[in-house]
Amino acid sequence: MNKKFHFVVQSGVQAFSIVLLNFIEILVFIRKHTDHRLCTDCQITLYQERTQETRKFISNSILLNTQEIKIAIPHIHHFMMAASASTIKEWKTEKYVDQKQKNWPNIGKHILAQYDEDSVIVYQAFCPEIADYATTNQRFGGPKFSFTRMSWIKTNFLWMMYRCGWASKPNQEHVLAIWIKRDGFDEILSKAYTPGTQKQANVSKDDVLVRLQWDPDHTPDGTKEQRRAIQLGLKGEILKKYATEYILKIEDITPFVLSKRPLLTEKKMQHLIVAQERVYPVQDDRTAELIGVDKI
């Protein structure tokens, strides 16, 4: 390569790297100083560490050709996505009675979820060790989390509350709100089988990566609804993708959950605040037919 051209390319990449690092550090600064409700020390430390990792990666990389740039960009993009997502994503809440009366169907199979154009929130409840690892590292892993067993996610906050007893059941004392990429969630849905649809499609049990269940939804006090709620069991490659690639943000919402338990009586229910949710639109016709979701 011509030495002059080599210098120009290297200088250009270094300039881009400096701009990129400044951008990431600005995101970290905004994350630290504006979103006080979500800014735990461990999360701030995490993004600072990610900034340092990115700086180290760039400083140790000499990007001279297209292939090396292709290798570098996903690595950098991962840190940018994590920092920016946590800056702008907030968990929204709304009165239970208002949503029940105005926005939620009374019957049928529907996916109630909090979502936007690029993300969907799912819920899981874990023991303290798994929850602490997840919120600290913004992904799942560690000695207690198993990638060899099926892990169940739920889009419906109240269905999660029913399953974990409002964070009172053993090994479900911490409730996590997990923002995942919307296209990742759609991929999960596209691979979801009930035992019946699995048999119809002639798919072996070992090849089913997502197990779908439509269970009765429940009111905050545990009373069964006629409406069905979805839960999705993940295993194998799709579980690994979910746990390490699809996640944009993880927040421990246990304090909120515990603060609402005293309101689970009929007289106090009118004051109960829960996660804001709407019916999730399954836009792919094949997926909608596969999972058996009802139209409004």
Side-chain angles (χ1 to χ4, degrees), residues 53-244:
E53 287 179 35
T54 307
R55 180 187 294 279
K56 183 177 179 181
F57 175 80
I58 292 174
S59 65
N60 290 339
S61 299
I62 302 175
L63 307 179
L64 298 177
N65 57 57
T66 303
Q67 183 60 32
E68 288 174 320
I69 292 174
K70 285 181 179 179
I71 293 172
I73 286 175
H75 184 98
I76 296 169
H77 181 69
H78 171 78
F79 295 114
M80 292 180 65
M81 283 291 290
S84 61
S86 291
T87 302
I88 62 176
K89 302 293 184 188
E90 291 189 6
W91 190 58
K92 299 177 182 177
T93 58
E94 190 176 339
K95 271 191 173 183
Y96 164 72
V97 292
D98 290 346
Q99 296 188 86
K100 181 177 174 62
Q101 293 171 2
K102 300 176 182 178
N103 301 309
W104 298 346
N106 292 321
I107 60 173
K109 298 175 182 176
H110 300 283
I111 301 174
L112 294 184
Q114 186 169 144
Y115 61 92
D116 57 28
E117 62 183 9
D118 59 11
S119 67
V120 179
I121 296 178
V122 297
Y123 300 97
Q124 291 191 276
F126 292 106
C127 64
E129 292 86 352
I130 293 177
D132 288 346
Y133 182 97
T135 53
T136 299
N137 295 279
Q138 292 295 290
R139 61 181 178 83
F140 288 106
K144 291 267 188 174
F145 187 86
S146 175
F147 284 97
T148 60
R149 59 176 294 185
M150 187 165 278
S151 187
W152 292 85
I153 61 174
K154 302 159 183 66
T155 64
N156 185 327
F157 173 78
L158 287 177
W159 175 232
M160 182 73 261
M161 293 305 97
Y162 172 73
R163 294 296 296 172
C164 72
W166 291 81
S168 67
K169 294 183 179 180
N171 294 318
Q172 299 188 67
E173 303 93 339
H174 284 256
V175 180
L176 303 181
I178 305 145
W179 282 252
I180 65 173
K181 298 174 184 177
R182 185 163 175 172
D183 56 0
F185 180 69
D186 288 339
E187 182 180 0
I188 290 171
L189 290 179
S190 72
K191 299 179 183 299
Y193 289 90
T194 65
T197 55
Q198 172 194 333
K199 186 176 181 180
Q200 292 172 6
N202 197 27
V203 178
S204 71
K205 184 178 180 180
D206 290 340
D207 291 334
V208 174
L209 299 180
V210 182
R211 176 61 73 197
L212 165 66
Q213 287 184 193
W214 288 106
D215 298 298
D217 206 345
H218 289 74
T219 63
D221 65 2
T223 304
K224 280 188 180 181
E225 297 266 23
Q226 288 184 289
R227 181 182 61 249
R228 294 274 168 165
I230 196 171
Q231 65 171 335
L232 300 156
L234 315 181
K235 71 174 186 179
E237 186 62 30
I238 201 73
L239 174 58
K240 290 180 182 178
K241 282 187 175 182
Y242 161 73
T244 61

